[in-house]
Amino acid sequence: MLKSQSQTISPPPPLKKLLGPSFILLGLGLGSGEVILWPYLSSNWGLGIAWGALLGIFFQFFINMEIERYSLARGESVFVGLARRWKWVPYWLMISTILAFSWPGIIAASSTLFVHVFGGNITVVAIIFLLLIGIILTTGKYIYNTVEHFSRLIILIGVPAVLILTVFIATPGDAKDLISGLVGNGDGYWFLPTGIPIAAFLAALAFSGAGGNLNLSQSSYIREKGYAMGEFMEKIKGLFGGGNAQKIDLEGFKFDPSEKNLSNFKGWWKQVNREHFFVFFLTGAITMLMLLLLSYTTTFGTAGNAEGIQFVINESIAIGVQTFPLIGTFFAVLMALMLFSTQFTVLDSTSRIVSENYAATKMGKNKPLNLSRYYYIFLWTQILFGIVIFLFGLTEPLTLLIISAVLNAVCMFVHIGLVNVLNWKELPKQIQTNIWRRVILFIAFVFFGVFSMLTIVDKLF
């Protein structure tokens, strides 16, 4: 049950002090949609599909902000609010998250590129990477701080490097093709070229940003960062930072909709919209489009592009030829690091989602909730499952990613509807979303629903 909170919502700090959660969410998308899926499509079918990349991240900006709206107003994660209203939702979120993200395609891609540069066995390297992620997440004092600092470092290195490479290599004609692609005009087609796999296109749409249930983890991150009513909530500690004995109350607070509180809330809403726009949407869109352009410029029409992530290797070779071999090698290593970072944040986010929803099923039973313990049980279970997958020889990253992303598109269709009903039913009218945002969210809801149905029909019939 929500608790009343007599304290007022604090005024929002300057924008630079709010930076953090959107870096994590951006990092979740960089290694899947941005590095692999959209560049894979552009290297094989050209830039006429660029509109989909921009539309996908545009939708996700508004989807994410509604998730943030709830946690700003209540302090608790959206998982707790959903569980309080619909008892079945935690079970759906746990099952769908496990099914969609247990496939370790991102780390398989990272290890493939690592082995391409340094040699070795892909399976062994992938297993080592998974174990390394588990160790880093387990030994940090606060889980959120570890993830934020790691994601921010990789993005601050990777994004400028991609921009510089693309500007140096791409031709004016290629840039013109990209601009045409943003309105759906490709080489001899509009919007979708003949022969493009619908499942791969839907997968790329779903991963234009975080994707699937991962979008929901934004509410946990802003709670941990202490945004608005999250100021009154406790952070999850690492296993060796006291987390093993930490008991957490996941339920948040109602605030009195006084003039002062509403004014401070609106200040927070304005600031977090700016933070998410500049870090997630603008940085993510520019990076994604530059990677699309770079892939098209260097590899379009190259033999072998359709074979897994061979196009990334082809891309690094072409960059080395057009600049210096060392720069091509640097690009391959950078993509491997970005993919590693994405798997790092994916494992954190999925462990949060599953552990918080598991804890939500126990609320109201007068039992202490050891969220940190649940988190690490689910984290290491996922890591062990990934290791088993690799030991059985399933290491093709593109196949694993497409399986994951198609499932996530269905998950997005479901949670868009759930979160918007939750906000409509639970939040004060003064802070509910306006009509034009509702229209965008409805279009996104229908869009992901229709494309999910088309993909399922395509695969079944």
Side-chain angles (χ1 to χ4, degrees), residues 23 26-27 30 35 148-166 279 283 287 290-291 294 327 329-341:
F23 276 107
L26 176 60
L30 281 178
V35 171
E148 180 191 318
H149 294 155
F150 191 85
S151 298
R152 186 182 299 195
L153 176 64
I154 296 299
I155 289 168
L156 291 177
I157 294 171
V159 171
V162 168
L163 291 176
I164 292 169
L165 274 173
T166 306
V279 176
T283 306
T287 305
M290 291 301 99
L291 284 167
L294 186 61
I327 294 179
T329 301
F330 167 77
F331 176 79
V333 172
L334 179 63
M335 295 301 103
L337 284 173
M338 291 175 74
L339 290 161
F340 178 88
S341 174

Side-chain angles (χ1 to χ4, degrees), residues 126-146:
I127 290 172
I128 291 172
F129 281 0
L130 285 175
L131 292 173
L132 180 59
I133 290 170
I135 291 168
I136 294 171
L137 286 171
T138 303
T139 54
K141 182 177 180 181
Y142 287 103
I143 300 168
Y144 172 81
N145 293 348
T146 302

Side-chain angles (χ1 to χ4, degrees), residues 13 20 40 43 45 70 93 97 105 108 155 169 196 221 225 237 244 267 270 311 316 335 343 348:
Y40 164 76
S43 70
W45 287 278
Y70 181 82
L93 290 174
T97 299
I155 289 168
I169 293 175
I196 189 171
Y221 292 133
K225 188 74 172 177
K237 294 180 179 179
N244 192 46
K270 184 177 181 180
F311 75 93
S316 67
M335 295 301 103
Q343 186 69 74
D348 171 66

Side-chain angles (χ1 to χ4, degrees), residues 82-102:
L82 291 170
R84 191 183 293 114
R85 176 160 282 275
W86 298 288
K87 300 299 182 184
W88 59 270
V89 170
Y91 300 100
W92 158 257
L93 290 174
M94 284 190 285
I95 292 168
S96 60
T97 299
I98 290 168
L99 288 176
F101 285 102
S102 294

Side-chain angles (χ1 to χ4, degrees), residues 308-329:
I309 64 162
Q310 181 61 39
F311 75 93
V312 182
I313 295 172
N314 291 343
E315 199 173 353
S316 67
I317 293 169
I319 289 170
V321 170
Q322 295 183 43
T323 56
F324 301 98
L326 188 61
I327 294 179
T329 301

